[in-house]
RNA sequence: CGGGGCAUAGCGCAGUCUGGUAGCGCAUCUGGUUUGGGACCAGAGGGUCGCAAGUUCGAAUCUUGCUGCCCCGACCA
């Protein structure tokens, strides 16, 4: 993408409503624009990051055997009356009426709807296990939205729902999502630690929150430092096999949120391994048994010929929140530092002297070669001062900056800078292209 | 939902106490000089001062009501 033809409104000053670093940087780098309290538009750069996160989440869900669907944002109140949650959910649920005065709501979550889909079609245990997920906008009318997209009212979430014949099967489904989450967050470039969590109003008796450590996190967390070094399962993990060893490796080390904190257990850990920190919840997995299947009548016939209420779990990832969480975990004074896997572009190609025939030709050539190699490039082809170009490129945080100016070109050289470390190398044009193609 | 704060040009702010017809920096546009880490000079455009009522000869400024947004707490992916 040529900068001259893109829409990338960056801000030099920090808007005053933004308090935490991720919110400031998201506004300054032109990722989002606030439209109302807790409601944001996603501008081109932010949209690309969001799409990259979605892509990785989707790949790992699919790998773990979950199947993608798409449910609507608007739901009928009737379904929620069946589960009893229409009255229980309270003011956080945005309730609206259509032109026929029918009661509707903007979905805060989808347990009822997915259970309705399930009960409409599935009759036999032979169709299980089943895990359906979607990535859709949710609305929760928070009393106090804050910190930009970290706690918005409208937010993008991946939510998966598993259906099994009995509890042991449901626990295996839980483990599959648990392992998928380990892989997902690792690929997104963040270290998310599963922690024993409170089950809250959704209910259930097995749940973990996946928490990214960050100083500005909303939750206090307590963990054994050794939990940070547990291994990430590989892409070749057999999801049809026994995942208990992987899950156990992560859950035997102490790691808990404030609500579930067990002081005695924590203090049993050698002092040098105790870590008290703050974190951002980016995902949560629940096993809640028949909490919804019983009231909604989601049952299958088992091998014994009898009907069984299905055992369910739900598994959420805060996709839009992750954009902020990644920035909280990965930035410096100059701006964002995107992990390569979700960066809006891999390379920022900087033309330091637009209008100079040699420099233009070299940049245009590099741009073409990189694009042909399948590398996503943001090409700053706008006539401007070097300092402004560098500052903007640092702000938006692309992993690589390829700096092309007349001085270097006189020696047939360009400069390649790695955003994360600030490390620079002077290379020939060919060497620079090869380096970027190699990753 | 309790407590606190803010609302003046695209962004950041001053002016409000003490009423007199709106200003600064950045950004934008034009011309010139510059040009490897947020340049300089000259000029220009851009505001029903959040909305509504009131007081007054006169309101950004005083009064009342409303709305929006932010922060702390409680609550939450």
């Amino acid at each position: 993408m040529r900068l001259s033809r893109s829409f990338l409104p960056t801000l030099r000053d920090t808007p005053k409503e933004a308090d935490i670093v991720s919110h400031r940087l998201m506004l300054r780098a032109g990722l989002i624009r606030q439209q109302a309290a807790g409601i944001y538009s996603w501008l081109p750069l932010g949209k690309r990051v969001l799409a990259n996160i979605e892509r990785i989440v989707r790949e790992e869900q699919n790998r773990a055997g979950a199947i993608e669907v798409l449910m609507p944002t608007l739901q009928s109140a009737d379904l929620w009356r069946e589960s009893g949650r229409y009255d229980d959910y309270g003011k956080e649920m945005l309730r609206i009426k259509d032109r026929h005065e029918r009661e509707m709501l903007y979905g805060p979550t989808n347990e009822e709807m997915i259970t309705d889909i399930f009960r409409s079609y599935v009759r036999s245990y032979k169709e299980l296990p089943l895990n359906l997920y979607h990535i859709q906008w949710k609305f929760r009318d928070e009393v106090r939205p804050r910190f930009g997209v970290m706690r918005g009212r409208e937010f993008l979430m991946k939510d998966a729902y598993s259906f099994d014949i009995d509890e042991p099967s449901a626990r295996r489904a839980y483990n599959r999502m648990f392992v998928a989450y380990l892989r997902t967050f690792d690929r997104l470039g963040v270290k998310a630690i599963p922690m024993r969590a409170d089950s809250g109003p959704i209910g259930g008796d097995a749940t973990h929150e996946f928490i990214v450590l960050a100083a500005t996190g909303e939750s206090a967390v307590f963990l054994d430092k050794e939990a940070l070094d547990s291994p990430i399962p590989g892409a070749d993990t057999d999801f049809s096999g026994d995942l208990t060893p992987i899950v156990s490796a992560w859950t035997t080390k102490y790691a808990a949120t404030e609500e579930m904190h067990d002081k005695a257990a924590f203090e049993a850990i050698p002092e040098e391994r105790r870590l008290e920190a703050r974190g951002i919840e980016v995902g949560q997995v629940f096993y809640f048994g028949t909490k919804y299947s019983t009231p909604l009548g989601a049952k299958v016939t088992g091998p014994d010929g009898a009907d069984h209420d299905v055992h369910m779990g739900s598994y959420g990832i805060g996709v839009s929140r992750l954009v902020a969480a990644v920035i909280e975990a990965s930035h410096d004074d100059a701006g964002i530092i995107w992990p390569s896997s979700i960066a809006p572009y891999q390379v920022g190609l900087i033309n330091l002297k637009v209008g100079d025939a040699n420099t233009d030709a070299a940049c245009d050539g590099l741009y073409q070669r990189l694009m042909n190699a399948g590398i996503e490039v943001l090409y700053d082809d706008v006539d401007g001062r070097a300092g402004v170009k560098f500052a903007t490129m640092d702000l938006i945080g692309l992993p690589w900056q390829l700096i092309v100016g007349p001085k270097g070109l006189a020696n047939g050289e360009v400069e390649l800078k790695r955003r994360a470390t600030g490390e620079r190398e002077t290379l020939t044009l060919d060497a620079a292209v090869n380096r970027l193609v190699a990753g």
Side-chain angles (χ1 to χ4, degrees), chain A residues 408-428:
Chain A
L409 284 178
N411 303 318
E413 290 171 337
V414 294
E415 194 173 21
L416 187 62
K417 173 181 158 184
R418 190 187 275 274
R419 174 66 180 87
T421 60
E423 169 192 354
R424 299 150 180 275
E425 285 180 274
T426 301
L427 300 166
T428 64

Side-chain angles (χ1 to χ4, degrees), chain A residues 347 366 369-370 375 400 402-404 413-416 425-439:
Chain A
V347 180
L366 287 165
R369 289 174 67 183
L370 290 169
I375 295 174
W400 296 97
L402 184 54
I403 302 160
V404 182
E413 290 171 337
V414 294
E415 194 173 21
L416 187 62
E425 285 180 274
T426 301
L427 300 166
T428 64
L429 278 64
D430 285 346
V433 169
N434 290 339
R435 174 68 53 85
L436 289 170
V437 170

Side-chain angles (χ1 to χ4, degrees), chain A residues 22-225:
Chain A
S22 62
H23 191 197
R24 286 202 296 264
L25 289 173
M26 287 184 77
L27 291 167
R28 286 192 55 214
L31 268 54
I32 53 170
R33 169 168 176 84
Q34 181 168 355
Q35 304 293 167
I39 300 179
Y40 294 84
S41 291
W42 291 78
L43 303 179
L45 209 62
K47 180 67 175 71
R48 291 180 71 95
V49 175
L50 204 55
N52 286 339
I53 294 176
E54 270 188 73
R55 190 194 73 244
I56 290 173
V57 168
R58 182 174 286 118
E59 285 172 5
E60 293 302 329
Q61 289 293 292
N62 294 348
R63 188 196 308 278
I67 303 166
E68 187 170 15
V69 297
L70 183 59
M71 291 177 272
T73 53
L74 295 181
Q75 307 187 24
S76 158
D78 293 343
L79 203 47
W80 286 69
R81 290 205 175 89
E82 280 191 62
S83 71
R85 283 209 292 181
Y86 193 65
D87 295 324
D88 293 349
Y89 219 94
K91 288 186 163 180
E92 230 181 66
M93 182 151 73
L94 179 66
R95 296 150 204 263
I96 45 189
K97 283 185 178 165
D98 70 9
R99 65 194 300 162
H100 301 294
E101 295 290 307
R102 285 183 292 231
E103 292 177 90
M104 311 285 288
L105 57 100
Y106 194 127
T109 179
N110 287 68
E111 279 86 3
E112 282 80 358
M113 189 171 278
I114 199 75
T115 306
D116 174 66
I117 291 172
F118 178 89
R119 72 182 176 185
S120 302
Y121 299 107
V122 182
R123 291 284 170 270
S124 163
Y125 77 97
K126 292 178 183 171
E127 296 177 63
L128 304 183
L130 184 64
N131 184 324
L132 300 173
Y133 76 97
H134 73 341
I135 299 173
Q136 177 63 291
W137 293 92
K138 306 291 188 292
F139 195 95
R140 294 184 192 174
D141 201 357
E142 297 274 347
V143 267
R144 181 148 98 84
R146 64 187 121 168
F147 305 147
V149 300
M150 189 79 81
R151 176 161 302 287
R153 291 194 292 171
E154 188 185 40
F155 57 96
L156 188 61
M157 178 170 154
K158 185 285 299 182
D159 41 325
Y161 304 90
S162 64
F163 302 88
D164 285 275
I165 183 69
D166 55 21
E167 176 170 345
S169 307
R171 299 276 177 187
R172 287 193 287 275
Y174 183 91
N175 288 349
R176 284 193 291 276
M177 284 293 108
F178 190 104
V179 170
Y181 277 28
L182 292 174
R183 285 192 43 77
T184 301
F185 295 122
D186 183 62
R187 287 187 61 193
L188 294 173
V190 292
K191 191 169 267 297
I193 312 295
M195 303 196 184
R196 295 173 54 221
D198 188 13
S199 57
I202 293 183
D205 63 356
T207 177
H208 288 86
E209 289 180 355
F210 284 74
I211 295 198
V212 173
L213 300 185
T216 46
E218 290 190 83
S219 340
V221 297
F222 303 83
L223 66 154
D224 182 338
K225 285 179 186 167

Side-chain angles (χ1 to χ4, degrees), chain A residues 218-370:
Chain A
E218 290 190 83
S219 340
V221 297
F222 303 83
L223 66 154
D224 182 338
K225 285 179 186 167
E226 290 192 346
L228 294 167
D229 301 322
S230 303
I232 301 295
D236 57 352
T237 300
D238 177 10
F239 280 88
S240 60
D242 181 12
L243 300 174
T244 315
I246 299 174
V247 174
S248 297
W250 279 89
T251 52
T252 46
K253 297 281 179 352
Y254 189 87
T257 59
E258 199 168 21
E259 304 80 53
M260 297 296 283
H261 184 45
D262 177 345
K263 205 171 174 199
F266 186 59
E267 285 173 0
I269 302 167
E271 189 164 2
E272 68 278 7
R273 275 166 45 193
R274 290 180 215 156
L275 179 60
E276 293 188 42
R278 301 199 66 81
I280 301 163
E281 182 187 343
V282 291
Q284 185 159 16
V285 290
F286 283 102
Y287 163 67
F288 48 69
T290 61
K291 180 180 167 80
Y292 298 99
S293 56
T294 301
L296 289 163
K299 54 189 73 172
V300 294
T301 307
D304 55 0
D307 281 351
H308 300 262
D309 290 346
V310 291
H311 286 247
M312 295 176 58
S314 76
Y315 315 90
I317 289 180
V319 175
S320 49
R321 169 182 286 186
L322 266 162
V323 179
V326 168
I327 295 172
E328 288 292 334
S330 182
H331 67 272
D332 62 17
D333 290 344
I336 301 168
I337 302 172
W338 289 119
S340 171
S341 59
I342 62 170
Y345 297 92
Q346 291 305 309
V347 180
L349 172 60
I350 301 178
N351 183 335
L352 284 176
K353 189 148 185 162
V354 172
D356 175 83
N358 279 339
T359 314
D360 287 351
C363 286
D364 290 355
L366 287 165
Y367 181 53
Q368 276 307 325
R369 289 174 67 183
L370 290 169

